Amino acid sequence: KDTQPPVIRRMLARAVGAEGSGGASSGGDAARNAKLVTLETGASAPAGRREILGEIFDLREDVRFAWTLAPYSIALAVDGVEQRRITLDSLSVVEGRMIVGGSGLSRAELYAAEGFLRCGILELHPGAMHLLLTARDYAGNTGTRELTLTVTE
């Protein structure tokens, strides 16, 4: 029986451009080459569009070595309002593309080159922002990482 929650080791952010101009959703080089910044409680970040990434995985409990698995689902909330939910429950082929779950995203679009899950793109506005990242495994175990970020002009 699986009793261990998924691990959310780190949350990161990187600046992204406008849609279609190299932003993460378009998979452009500008987004891939933008500097990754670790998000921690009390940290500050400049206002603007940021892609939120998570180092998220689940571990098999029936083996004696670290065997990482993808979580069943992830959700990103800002100030108590869910911004994005992705369920990694299936693979399908749509118009010749392999799609993960109901996300409409390919594996390459869902995972950043660094191996982090792309959790969503947020517009950061000046002030305090409370971020909550939740990962759930197929057995229903839940792991969370939350932080309050100060966004500057």
Side-chain angles (χ1 to χ4, degrees):
K1 179 167 168 52
D2 181 4
T3 59
Q4 186 172 328
V7 176
I8 303 174
R9 185 173 288 160
R10 292 186 290 168
M11 285 176 66
L12 301 105
R14 65 176 159 202
V16 294
E19 292 290 326
S21 64
S25 61
S26 64
D29 289 334
R32 283 192 289 267
N33 295 329
K35 180 182 174 189
L36 287 170
V37 177
T38 300
L39 298 178
E40 299 172 337
T41 291
S44 63
R49 285 173 54 92
R50 300 288 181 267
E51 179 180 28
I52 307 301
L53 300 110
E55 185 177 5
I56 307 168
F57 54 89
D58 197 20
L59 291 169
R60 284 192 54 173
E61 292 184 60
D62 60 338
V63 294
R64 293 184 182 258
F65 53 92
W67 185 335
T68 59
L69 306 168
Y72 177 73
S73 68
I74 60 170
L76 176 63
V78 176
D79 297 327
V81 178
E82 188 173 292
Q83 303 295 309
R84 186 168 191 205
R85 174 175 296 275
I86 301 171
T87 302
L88 295 90
D89 61 346
S90 63
L91 294 174
S92 59
V93 176
V94 177
E95 296 177 5
R97 292 180 53 222
M98 182 75 73
I99 302 298
V100 178
S103 68
L105 302 173
S106 69
R107 183 194 183 287
E109 293 167 327
L110 185 59
Y111 283 91
E114 302 85 1
F116 299 104
L117 274 165
R118 292 181 163 157
C119 302
I121 296 176
L122 302 176
E123 186 70 41
L124 302 185
H125 299 284
M129 291 183 79
H130 181 81
L131 304 180
L132 175 64
L133 184 58
T134 304
R136 189 170 71 88
D137 66 16
Y138 189 74
N141 302 307
T142 302
T144 61
R145 169 136 339 216
E146 61 184 304
L147 59 95
T148 300
L149 184 66
T150 301
V151 181
T152 59
E153 292 285 336

